[in-house]
Amino acid sequence: MTKRLLLTLGIIASSFLMSVGVQAQFKTASEFPPKHDIGQTPAMGWNSWNTFGCNLNDQLIRDMADAMIASGMKDAGYEYINIDDCWQGERDSRGYLTAHPERFPHGIKAVADYVHSKGLKIGIYSDAGNKTCAGYAGSRGFEYQDALTFAEWGIDYLKYDWCNTKDINPIGAYTTMSQALAKLERPILFSMCEWGDNDPWLWGKELGHSWRATGDIYNCWDCAFNHGSWASLGVLKILDKRENIRKYSGPGHFNDYDMMEVGNGMTEAQDRSHFSLWAMLASPLIAGNDLRSMSETTRKILTNKEIIALNQDKLGYEALRMLDTGKLNVFIKQLENNEWAVLFLNRTDSTMDYTHDWEYYPMKDDDKGVSLNFSEKKFTYRDLWKGSKGNTLKPLKLKIPANDVVVLRLTPQ
């Protein structure tokens, strides 16, 4: 069967699924399309939107690939260079997507080939509606055709947004694109950007490799930027937005708390906290700064391999907020080999003195069915930002700067 015939059948199937999928309800995993065996740990990469918006082009994407290598980010585990909205031109007479003639005069495949030549992968953006958030061509009604086009261009990652989707059922829309991707010979990681409005953690596991749990991030520590009918959220606002969804996250299906703002204007402490929290939450680590001009401080934050290891741990657990005093948060996360990570977050604007009694605070994660009593088991620890070491035989005395974190990795003694 030729690709063209497969494409025609796919387009027919796409239209049919959209017409009946509006009311579709899926009750068992077997009713969902299979995914390629990729994305077992959270994706790591870079995305154009946070810093550049629509001011992107072919050379920018090539420059970011070069910078990812030169900065040491590739060596630290980052692999995706993701083109966000505004790359599109018009659909041609046959309905095929084309690249913006001025921004990408050589087409998307040319820049994809360049990124691949550097040993990296490339991502692209589309939307479940007929228009993207910036008003370019979306994929509604063209899901199979666009999936095939992306594969022919060499795309490795698809961010699929949720603008212009009035009266569209999200399960039907995301299932259609998921099925289109699943039929490709080329594995494409599926990042569902539904904003958490329709509880994607309840139905997204078999469809995509991650799903947005909140609206867009904003480059601030604890604020909301109002756009009228919706608001972008700062780091703490996103941190507090969702409760009780961590149990839906795991290898191959992660809650996505949006792209990072590290290096885009917050303080060093806030950037360090932001990065550490996203790592602990098993959120995709997608940088959103200008990699070409970032400071050495930003580079060191983004390439801290010990923090990244918490994010990439094969158990895939999202951290549990064990303690919340309003001013102090303590997050815990079980790791492979009976190790644990503990993060202490000072949410206040002044230095905090805090003593943590290990025996008084046993670690218990009911979602995962695990617990740890320090009166029965002893651990050594390493501070993953400062490098200092200690053990749990005595209470831990901390001095945590404003908006900063202390992150420890505990190893059984």
Side-chain angles (χ1 to χ4, degrees):
M1 188 178 290
T2 66
K3 278 189 176 181
R4 184 168 296 279
L5 179 55
L6 284 170
L7 174 59
T8 301
L9 292 173
I11 294 171
I12 295 170
S14 173
S15 299
F16 173 74
L17 284 167
M18 284 304 297
S19 66
V20 301
V22 172
Q23 300 300 326
Q25 296 296 322
F26 300 92
K27 298 179 180 180
T28 66
S30 63
E31 295 181 63
F32 288 98
K35 296 186 297 182
H36 288 288
D37 188 21
I38 54 175
Q40 294 303 296
T41 58
M44 295 179 61
W46 173 88
N47 180 283
S48 59
W49 185 259
N50 284 3
T51 294
F52 299 99
C54 285
N55 296 317
L56 77 168
N57 55 45
D58 180 292
Q59 190 59 51
L60 175 72
I61 303 306
R62 294 171 190 256
D63 288 349
M64 290 304 164
D66 293 341
M68 183 171 282
I69 297 169
S71 66
M73 289 179 68
K74 180 176 183 291
D75 289 340
Y78 295 85
E79 59 178 342
Y80 292 102
I81 298 292
N82 293 341
I83 305 170
D84 210 279
D85 206 350
C86 307
W87 64 266
Q88 304 92 332
E90 300 294 333
R91 290 190 182 274
D92 67 16
S93 60
R94 299 175 299 164
Y96 286 96
L97 280 170
T98 64
H100 193 285
E102 296 176 0
R103 294 170 183 154
F104 294 91
H106 308 295
I108 298 299
K109 188 178 187 308
V111 71
D113 288 345
Y114 183 84
V115 171
H116 290 149
S117 75
K118 300 296 181 177
L120 297 168
K121 297 178 180 179
I122 190 164
I124 208 161
Y125 167 100
S126 193
D127 192 282
N130 60 358
K131 294 289 185 182
T132 70
C133 296
Y136 292 87
S139 288
R140 185 182 186 189
F142 294 89
E143 291 87 351
Y144 281 76
Q145 191 168 359
D146 289 356
L148 184 59
T149 297
F150 297 151
E152 290 177 343
W153 286 347
I155 297 300
D156 304 293
Y157 179 118
L158 173 62
K159 175 183 173 182
Y160 204 52
D161 219 335
W162 189 238
C163 285
N164 301 300
T165 51
K166 184 179 179 181
D167 298 327
I168 299 177
N169 179 276
I171 300 177
Y174 282 97
T175 297
T176 303
M177 181 54 83
S178 178
Q179 289 176 329
L181 296 175
K183 291 183 181 297
L184 299 172
E185 294 181 5
R186 182 180 190 82
I188 296 180
L189 189 144
F190 191 28
S191 172
M192 304 190 301
C193 186
E194 189 271 345
W195 318 328
D197 290 347
N198 294 281
D199 301 339
W201 44 87
L202 297 179
W203 46 265
K205 177 179 178 180
E206 302 300 330
L207 296 183
H209 300 91
S210 64
W211 49 80
R212 279 276 294 280
T214 73
D216 289 355
I217 195 169
Y218 191 71
N219 182 32
C220 67
W221 177 242
D222 187 17
C223 76
F225 185 81
N226 198 307
H227 299 274
S229 60
W230 63 283
S232 302
L233 305 174
V235 172
L236 290 187
K237 291 287 191 291
I238 286 181
L239 184 67
D240 299 337
K241 178 73 173 178
R242 300 295 179 202
E243 295 182 4
N244 302 320
I245 67 169
R246 61 184 295 271
K247 61 186 175 183
Y248 300 107
S249 181
H253 52 276
F254 298 99
N255 292 316
D256 179 358
Y257 293 97
D258 204 5
M259 302 168 291
M260 296 183 293
E261 294 282 9
V262 175
N264 283 341
M266 288 187 287
T267 69
E268 177 183 345
Q270 291 166 351
D271 276 353
R272 183 165 42 245
S273 296
H274 178 17
F275 186 67
S276 302
L277 287 163
W278 264 229
M280 288 284 285
L281 294 172
S283 180
L285 297 181
I286 306 296
N289 59 313
D290 189 338
L291 305 183
R292 302 168 300 182
S293 59
M294 63 180 165
S295 68
E296 181 63 10
T297 297
T298 296
R299 190 195 71 81
K300 286 182 176 179
I301 290 173
L302 289 173
T303 58
N304 184 321
K305 293 183 179 180
E306 292 185 284
I307 297 293
I308 290 170
L310 306 182
N311 180 264
Q312 296 292 296
D313 185 82
K314 290 183 180 179
L315 290 184
Y317 289 173
E318 181 174 322
L320 168 70
R321 186 165 1 200
M322 182 185 79
L323 180 64
D324 183 358
T325 71
K327 296 181 179 180
L328 173 75
N329 288 170
V330 180
F331 288 84
I332 62 173
K333 178 185 177 84
Q334 189 187 22
L335 308 171
E336 284 190 289
N337 303 317
N338 296 313
E339 292 186 288
W340 290 75
V342 186
L343 181 149
F344 302 89
L345 169 65
N346 176 5
R347 298 172 63 109
T348 76
D349 295 329
S350 58
T351 298
M352 174 183 293
D353 291 308
Y354 173 68
T355 299
H356 188 78
D357 189 324
W358 297 106
E359 292 192 11
Y360 185 79
Y361 288 112
M363 296 182 185
K364 188 177 182 182
D365 186 344
D366 290 335
D367 287 333
K368 306 303 179 184
V370 294
S371 61
L372 174 60
N373 191 324
F374 289 100
S375 63
E376 300 171 355
K377 203 165 189 178
K378 308 302 179 185
F379 286 74
T380 58
Y381 65 74
R382 174 179 169 81
D383 185 318
L384 302 189
W385 286 110
K386 294 183 177 179
S388 58
K389 298 179 179 181
N391 59 56
T392 59
L393 295 175
K394 59 183 180 180
L396 173 68
K397 294 185 177 181
L398 297 173
K399 187 179 288 290
I400 313 173
N403 305 156
D404 213 337
V405 290
V406 173
V407 187
L408 307 180
R409 186 176 184 123
L410 277 58
T411 302
Q413 227 173 343

